[in-house]
Amino acid sequence: MKHTESAYINAGARFERVQSISGNIAAAAALRAMLDTETPADQTEARRLIALGRAEIRLSAGRNR
């Protein structure tokens, strides 16, 4: 993989935290750019790590209520 696992987890968390439409578009573009550098086999793992980062933010948001 070209990027570290933590880079994908952090990018997924950033994507989940964004609250504006323009920020969401920018975060999605950054994720796409990261994924485009990976081989098809590594893209699957990268998507899993992004989903993990997003899930961690959603989980922590539920605890803060």
Side-chain angles (χ1 to χ4, degrees), residues 1 7 9 13 19 29 34-37 44 50 54:
M1 287 182 37
I9 292 169
Q19 295 186 7
M34 289 174 77
L35 286 170
D36 284 345
T37 65
T44 303
I50 291 166
R54 294 183 69 196

Side-chain angles (χ1 to χ4, degrees), residues 6-52:
S6 65
Y8 282 111
I9 292 169
N10 291 336
R14 263 193 310 278
F15 180 81
E16 193 66 30
R17 272 191 245 122
V18 172
Q19 295 186 7
S20 68
I21 293 173
S22 60
N24 200 313
I25 291 169
L31 286 173
R32 261 187 249 108
M34 289 174 77
L35 286 170
D36 284 345
T37 65
E38 300 293 351
T39 64
D42 287 338
Q43 285 179 358
T44 303
E45 177 65 9
R47 284 187 177 96
R48 186 188 71 77
L49 294 168
I50 291 166
L52 178 64

